[in-house]
Amino acid sequence: MEFSEKLQELRKNRGLTQEELAEALFVSRTAVSKWESGRGYPNIDSLKELADFFSVSIDELIRPEEILSAAEKDKKEYISRNTSFICGMLDIIPVLLLFIPVFGNRTESAGTVPLSGLTNIAPWIVTVFLILIIITVLNGICGVIISHLGKPLWDRHRLITGMALSIISSAVFIVTRQPYAGIICFIILVIKGILLIRTK
């Protein structure tokens, strides 16, 4: 008997609705519905809760192959969540460009200044730098939050946006002859790319 059928049988034997079972396990009714329809498996923690709730062993509740499948799914979700969190944190790092001296001021001196210290550059270029940094940082903050919400579609869109912003930032800083800022954004882009490739 499949896990979904066993779960339905156990629930009905107890005279519970899907909603009552969900409340008892502190999960959503949608999760219970997915488990019973065979569209998904509970994570390991939920399996333990189910086994305890129905006073059966995990082996009685689910076959070994199904356990392996659930564990593999958990592992993928964990890796994906961590990758999303790390990419979000990497997108927050450009806030440092506002404070550390990495911008060339195009003066006779070879020194560098923070973004706020740029004076010999067109104001619209400084505004573009500022907007890029702010949007990237906000995207990173959203990424950190989304990584804890368990919304894979939002996560995917946010990761794509983060990669696009890193590419645009690297290109803009390099084209405007700001190599240090460009290199920082390019390094962030490469790290995110490696993380995403390893997640696949």
Side-chain angles (χ1 to χ4, degrees), residues 119-156:
T119 54
N120 292 344
I121 268 184
W124 71 268
I125 294 177
V126 176
T127 303
V128 169
F129 292 167
L130 188 61
I131 289 169
L132 268 175
I133 291 169
I134 290 171
I135 291 173
T136 302
V137 170
L138 289 174
N139 187 64
I141 292 167
C142 289
V144 169
I145 294 167
I146 289 170
S147 70
H148 296 311
L149 295 179
K151 302 280 187 185
L153 186 62
W154 294 4
D155 219 14
R156 198 171 310 118

Side-chain angles (χ1 to χ4, degrees), residues 18-93:
Q18 286 184 346
E19 195 162 325
E20 289 169 336
L21 178 59
E23 285 174 12
L25 298 173
F26 301 104
V27 297
S28 68
R29 192 202 63 74
T30 309
V32 174
S33 175
K34 269 183 19 179
W35 301 340
E36 288 191 359
S37 64
R39 290 181 289 124
Y41 290 102
N43 62 28
I44 300 301
D45 291 332
S46 295
L47 272 175
K48 289 177 186 172
E49 291 291 323
L50 281 166
D52 288 345
F53 183 78
F54 289 115
S55 303
V56 295
S57 69
I58 291 178
D59 289 342
E60 290 175 80
L61 194 58
I62 191 166
R63 294 186 322 227
E65 311 88 67
E66 291 176 308
I67 291 174
L68 289 175
S69 172
E72 186 64 31
K73 183 181 171 201
D74 270 2
K75 181 181 173 186
K76 283 181 182 175
E77 285 176 4
Y78 176 79
I79 290 170
S80 176
R81 208 169 34 249
N82 281 343
T83 299
S84 177
F85 177 79
I86 292 168
C87 286
M89 293 302 290
L90 287 169
D91 280 341
I92 294 172
I93 288 174

